[in-house]
Amino acid sequence: MKKYKLLILSIGMLWLISCDNRLEQDLSDAHIGVAVNENVKYEGNILTVKKGTPVEFLLQGNPDYITFFSGEIGHQYIYRDRKEYSAEDIVSSELKFSVWTQYGESIAYEDLFDVLYLAEERNDETNEIVTPAFPGMSKTDFEADSLLVEKQTSWKTLVERAKLPNKPVSAANAYPYTIPIKQYIDKKLTLAIAYNKDKKEIKKENTETGKPETIVQPTVNFQGMRIETTWKNGRTTTSYASAFGLTPLNMKNKTKFKDQSEYSMPKDLEYGSVTEGVAGMWNLVNIGTGGFTIRGAAKTFNWKYSWLVSDYLNLLECPEPDKGVWVKEMSQNPDSYTYTYNQVGTYTATFLMNNVNYDYADTKTQEIIVNVIE
């Protein structure tokens, strides 16, 4: 019996010693090397390689996890947690969208809707504010927001009325717009769309009754609204209208219209949107891909009037932090990792190595300067 107890005790002590060694394991032996050849030179931590040549990185030691950041835009270790880009990284930034319209006579399209904006402007010499930015809607006080948007804000024209659709067109023949907006970085740019801002309606005499009645108010469809930004090294990012914070300001809620049934209206009559065709209410169902619509009034009904206003458009917003590539996980044990740089330039490649268990964690990074040449 004593022999069994001694054996159990010895096994237990060995397990504790092994576990203790595991808990104290560090990454001192972990290292990344490079396999050299006529097109790949490696001295110190500087790697020189010809464009398009595969580089074989040698994985030494035994980290549990290894992640590789190539150093290219979108894959830089120093930006793994960032939420915004730097203005210096931007080559161009453009607001893009197209508009197509439905129903109504040509005369109904005169001054039908406006695409507006406002951005803060400062004096170049004194830095004093010349034009204040739109302060933003409260989204809780409709009367105050209505006054702010309609009366107190000096909106500027983003697209001239003469360049907007002047007749019904199909989605395939939508009017395209590309508007440079790089100059509005850090200027609190706000976008607004006003449907029937002049609050007009057109009437014609009914030949049967001899009385005037309103004609059909056209429907306006926006599609593909997005900001496309081109960064250094040619990377392009896209931010669709769903990120703009577009909020309806439903002027319609002030008056009851006989042409709308209660079930089709949103619960929030002041700032809500709809999921079906309700005249004078914004439908934002497809805003994830930049699409939204406002339906006009049918014949004989009062014309509608509404606004759609954005939050500040952050042109430096990072859709997602820079990412690395998993090279090794705990269940794997590769000896190398191969990567190819296809553009000439200088990059800081980073390998992030980790050892982790329930009671211990260690992290180590190794940087390699990569010069990619022709």
Side-chain angles (χ1 to χ4, degrees):
M1 180 65 71
K2 291 182 179 179
K3 290 182 178 179
Y4 285 120
K5 289 183 178 179
L6 181 60
L7 178 61
I8 293 171
L9 179 61
S10 298
I11 293 173
M13 291 181 67
L14 287 172
W15 181 85
L16 287 173
I17 292 171
S18 175
C19 183
D20 187 59
N21 287 339
R22 172 63 177 165
L23 294 177
E24 293 181 358
Q25 180 179 345
D26 60 26
L27 293 167
S28 57
D29 293 333
H31 182 74
I32 307 299
V34 178
V36 299
N37 56 50
E38 60 180 4
N39 292 323
V40 180
K41 309 298 181 184
Y42 187 51
E43 297 181 2
N45 74 322
I46 299 177
L47 167 65
T48 303
V49 58
K50 286 189 176 182
K51 179 181 70 173
T53 301
V55 178
E56 183 182 10
F57 294 99
L58 306 177
L59 313 179
Q60 303 170 7
N62 191 32
D64 293 336
Y65 304 96
I66 302 177
T67 306
F68 172 67
F69 295 81
S70 68
E72 296 161 297
I73 290 180
H75 304 282
Q76 300 180 67
Y77 177 76
I78 60 172
Y79 295 136
R80 67 195 183 282
D81 297 320
R82 73 174 171 182
K83 296 182 180 179
E84 290 190 349
Y85 291 110
S86 168
E88 296 178 354
D89 290 334
I90 291 182
V91 175
S92 66
S93 188
E94 297 174 325
L95 175 67
K96 294 185 176 183
F97 61 94
S98 58
V99 180
W100 62 286
T101 47
Q102 297 171 277
Y103 318 121
E105 306 173 38
S106 295
I107 191 174
Y109 285 83
E110 295 178 4
D111 307 332
L112 176 62
F113 68 102
D114 294 274
V115 182
L116 310 167
Y117 80 100
L118 189 65
E120 181 181 86
E121 295 182 3
R122 292 177 176 268
N123 185 292
D124 292 336
E125 296 181 358
T126 64
N127 201 39
E128 293 181 355
I129 296 176
V130 177
T131 301
F134 180 67
M137 297 191 299
S138 69
K139 303 179 186 179
T140 57
D141 186 338
F142 181 81
E143 294 304 324
D145 286 341
S146 298
L147 184 63
L148 172 66
V149 170
E150 291 182 296
K151 306 294 184 182
Q152 298 175 345
T153 302
S154 299
W155 296 103
K156 296 184 179 182
T157 300
L158 190 64
V159 180
E160 296 177 11
R161 284 180 171 179
K163 295 182 179 180
L164 295 171
N166 57 10
K167 61 183 179 180
V169 294
S170 65
N173 295 313
Y175 287 44
Y177 302 94
T178 297
I179 304 166
I181 55 175
K182 179 182 176 182
Q183 66 269 32
Y184 300 119
I185 293 175
D186 294 332
K187 292 186 178 181
K188 299 179 179 179
L189 174 64
T190 302
L191 178 68
I193 299 169
Y195 182 67
N196 193 19
K197 182 166 66 72
D198 296 339
K199 305 177 189 177
K200 73 171 188 177
E201 59 184 16
I202 300 174
K203 295 183 178 182
K204 282 189 174 182
E205 182 179 307
N206 186 307
T207 56
E208 295 182 0
T209 64
K211 295 181 180 180
E213 61 183 21
T214 57
I215 65 174
V216 173
Q217 183 183 25
T219 291
V220 179
N221 305 280
F222 287 80
Q223 61 184 24
M225 181 173 283
R226 64 204 182 275
I227 293 175
E228 288 187 0
T229 303
T230 301
W231 310 87
K232 291 180 180 177
N233 288 359
R235 186 189 183 201
T236 299
T237 58
T238 301
S239 178
Y240 283 99
S242 54
F244 296 179
L246 289 168
T247 302
L249 191 63
N250 295 324
M251 301 304 179
K252 166 176 188 145
N253 88 86
K254 296 181 179 180
T255 309
K256 292 183 179 179
F257 291 100
K258 296 179 181 179
D259 58 329
Q260 300 301 332
S261 56
E262 292 297 329
Y263 76 88
S264 63
M265 301 297 288
K267 293 181 179 179
D268 184 355
L269 294 178
E270 298 176 336
Y271 303 100
S273 60
V274 297
T275 58
E276 56 185 328
V278 179
M281 304 291 285
W282 292 96
N283 184 327
L284 308 180
V285 170
N286 296 315
I287 198 168
T289 54
F292 48 92
T293 295
I294 188 163
R295 179 181 173 184
K299 184 178 180 180
T300 75
F301 290 103
N302 294 328
W303 277 30
K304 307 304 184 284
Y305 160 56
S306 189
W307 286 78
L308 190 65
V309 184
S310 79
D311 293 334
Y312 296 143
L313 304 187
N314 185 358
L315 306 186
L316 297 176
E317 184 176 8
C318 178
E320 55 186 18
D322 281 25
K323 293 182 178 180
V325 176
W326 283 102
V327 172
K328 179 184 183 299
E329 297 182 7
M330 210 167 177
S331 60
Q332 303 171 330
N333 193 29
D335 295 324
S336 64
Y337 173 71
T338 301
Y339 187 79
T340 302
Y341 289 87
N342 293 310
Q343 292 189 8
V344 172
T346 300
Y347 308 91
T348 301
T350 305
F351 285 87
L352 172 63
M353 296 167 275
N354 300 96
N355 272 353
V356 181
N357 64 28
Y358 69 92
D359 197 36
Y360 179 80
D362 192 18
T363 298
K364 180 179 181 178
T365 58
Q366 180 178 337
E367 292 185 349
I368 297 175
I369 306 301
V370 181
N371 290 323
V372 182
I373 61 177
E374 289 287 358

